[in-house]
Amino acid sequence: MDTIASLFSFITTPVSWIIVQFHKLYGAMFGADSGWAWGLSIVSLVILIRICLIPLFVKQIKATRGMQAIQPKMKAIQERYKNDKQRQSEEMMKLYKETGTNPLSSCLPILAQSPFFFALYHVLAGIANGKPIGEIDGPLLESARNAHIFGAPLASKFTDSADKVAALGASITDVRVVTAIMIVLMSLSQFYTQRQLMQKNVDLSVKTPFMQQQKMLMYVFPLIFAVMGINFPVGVLVYWMTTNLWTMGQQMYVINQNPTPGSKAQDQYLTRLLKQVSSHGAIKGRSKKKIVAAIVAKGPDRNDNERKFITALSKQGMAAQEDGSVMKSVEATVDADAAGSGAQKRQQPKRQSKSQRQTPPSKPSKK
């Protein structure tokens, strides 16, 4: 890990500078040597990085949905050219180009974040060893070394020896309890995020190997983080746990506001839209109108959720328009008007009394 971290040492100075700026702010509030000041500085670093990565996250969503959409075509290519790997690869590249998809796009946020992660690891390793690194030296280095989070030094690890932990002013029991809890929370947040994606935001109408891979990652990733976590300093665990929580919250927002077509989340989203139409007679919000407009544009290619939504609108006497708005259905209005006019034309016969019904009709007189 130290060797990998050193490869990203070029970004160590910027990362340490950002931490120092946040430390000045939180140090004035909690005290310069406080674990809260240093811990919140790392949390703020994560938030700053993730805000900068939002455009990449949007690309990741589009890429993931694009890959899901072309899975049937990919499977067909694999079966058609299963004995010709070169032709299979060529056809796959052609498919990616035609559809504008890129398998690596879904990994962009992780790849973009990795230099900051390893740079932070490099900074914390320097703090643990008492070596000035980047902007952290002199009094700041001593302050960071003395900073504890719930009794565990910022630079301590689960695998550290008792002597090394004692040199940082803590007990091995405190360090292992705190790091163990943080590793479990880090792994659980990773698992829940992936599980939430698989259960709610995957197109259930398409059964492909991609779904099986995602399901496997749901169990593999948390295990990887748990194993690697024992070698992470407390500060890095704070970083990674924070970024997992950010990812979980960000994903929950996307699932609720812009779900994958054909997913359980889309069905729930369209149900909420129907309630809005029932209450207000209109769809409010540009993003909601954009989703409805996309459903209208699909025409006969709509999935089951979308067809159910259009049918439910029709039953309410409403119709979705190309711009995503809804208005009273012309067909429903015409049918209502026709039914009303027909009722006026059809007059009910007058009710006859019993004596009138029993009296035979009179015969016409003969001349």
Side-chain angles (χ1 to χ4, degrees):
M1 180 66 75
D2 291 331
T3 303
I4 297 174
S6 64
L7 295 176
F8 294 93
S9 58
F10 67 93
I11 202 172
T12 296
T13 299
V15 166
S16 63
W17 182 85
I18 294 171
I19 292 175
V20 168
Q21 302 314 306
F22 281 123
H23 177 260
K24 288 179 181 178
L25 172 64
Y26 296 119
M29 298 168 61
F30 301 103
D33 297 333
S34 168
W36 285 104
W38 286 103
L40 288 174
S41 297
I42 295 172
V43 170
S44 299
L45 171 69
V46 176
I47 294 172
L48 178 62
I49 292 171
R50 294 310 299 264
I51 289 174
C52 294
L53 292 179
I54 286 176
L56 288 180
F57 180 75
V58 173
K59 286 186 177 181
Q60 179 191 33
I61 293 172
K62 291 180 179 179
T64 302
R65 291 184 181 178
M67 288 297 295
Q68 289 176 346
I70 66 172
Q71 284 298 306
K73 293 181 180 179
M74 290 176 63
K75 191 174 181 180
I77 290 173
Q78 289 171 348
E79 291 178 355
R80 185 175 181 181
Y81 302 105
K82 59 184 178 182
N83 297 323
D84 188 347
K85 297 297 182 183
Q86 183 176 350
R87 182 66 186 278
Q88 184 183 115
S89 179
E90 291 174 356
E91 291 296 322
M92 286 289 191
M93 295 303 295
K94 184 179 177 181
L95 178 63
Y96 294 150
K97 189 175 181 180
E98 289 175 350
T99 56
T101 54
N102 186 344
L104 296 178
S105 295
S106 59
C107 302
L108 284 175
I110 294 177
L111 293 175
Q113 193 180 176
S114 59
F116 297 95
F117 170 78
F118 287 114
L120 177 63
Y121 184 93
H122 199 49
V123 168
L124 293 173
I127 292 171
N129 296 323
K131 293 168 56 178
I133 185 163
E135 296 293 315
I136 301 177
D137 57 7
L140 277 177
L141 177 61
E142 191 63 28
S143 174
R145 280 177 60 83
N146 293 328
H148 289 61
I149 297 177
F150 301 115
L154 200 69
S156 61
K157 297 179 287 188
F158 184 90
T159 54
D160 282 346
S161 64
D163 292 340
K164 189 172 183 179
V165 171
L168 294 173
S171 71
I172 189 68
T173 302
D174 289 342
V175 169
R176 289 187 174 172
V177 169
V178 171
T179 53
I181 291 173
M182 295 179 76
I183 290 168
V184 170
L185 291 175
M186 182 179 68
S187 300
L188 286 177
S189 61
Q190 180 75 34
F191 175 78
Y192 180 79
T193 300
Q194 191 68 19
R195 186 171 181 268
Q196 179 183 234
L197 178 67
M198 289 298 302
Q199 286 195 336
K200 288 190 173 184
N201 210 36
V202 171
D203 187 352
L204 301 175
S205 63
V206 180
K207 304 296 183 182
T208 64
F210 180 77
M211 289 180 62
Q212 295 300 321
Q213 292 171 6
Q214 292 293 105
K215 190 174 183 179
M216 182 179 66
L217 291 177
M218 179 173 70
Y219 297 99
V220 172
F221 270 173
L223 289 175
I224 292 175
F225 277 101
V227 173
M228 293 177 63
I230 62 173
N231 293 307
F232 290 165
V234 170
V236 172
L237 290 177
V238 170
Y239 176 98
W240 207 252
M241 190 166 63
T242 305
T243 198
N244 280 359
L245 292 174
W246 177 282
T247 301
M248 185 168 63
Q250 190 171 245
Q251 184 172 275
M252 287 176 67
Y253 176 81
V254 170
I255 289 174
N256 287 327
Q257 300 300 320
N258 190 16
T260 299
S263 65
K264 182 179 178 181
Q266 188 196 35
D267 185 32
Q268 295 172 345
Y269 180 86
L270 294 178
T271 300
R272 293 196 299 270
L273 273 186
L274 281 172
K275 289 181 179 179
Q276 186 182 98
V277 173
S278 300
S279 301
H280 306 287
I283 291 178
K284 298 181 179 180
R286 185 181 299 176
S287 61
K288 294 177 182 178
K289 288 183 178 180
K290 189 175 179 180
I291 290 176
V292 174
I295 293 173
V296 173
K298 285 184 179 181
D301 295 329
R302 298 180 189 122
N303 59 49
D304 291 341
N305 295 335
E306 294 160 350
R307 282 192 289 269
K308 186 171 73 171
F309 173 72
I310 295 296
T311 301
L313 278 178
S314 179
K315 288 180 179 179
Q316 293 184 18
M318 307 294 287
Q321 306 301 302
E322 291 183 356
D323 63 353
S325 62
V326 294
M327 61 183 296
K328 197 169 184 181
S329 174
V330 175
E331 292 180 2
T333 304
V334 171
D335 291 344
D337 291 343
S341 61
Q344 291 176 355
K345 290 178 181 179
R346 292 191 300 271
Q347 294 183 353
Q348 294 293 334
K350 293 182 178 179
R351 186 177 182 85
Q352 296 179 329
S353 64
K354 185 175 181 181
S355 59
Q356 287 176 327
R357 291 196 301 271
Q358 291 176 347
T359 303
S362 58
K363 294 181 180 180
S365 60
K366 291 183 182 180
K367 292 183 178 179

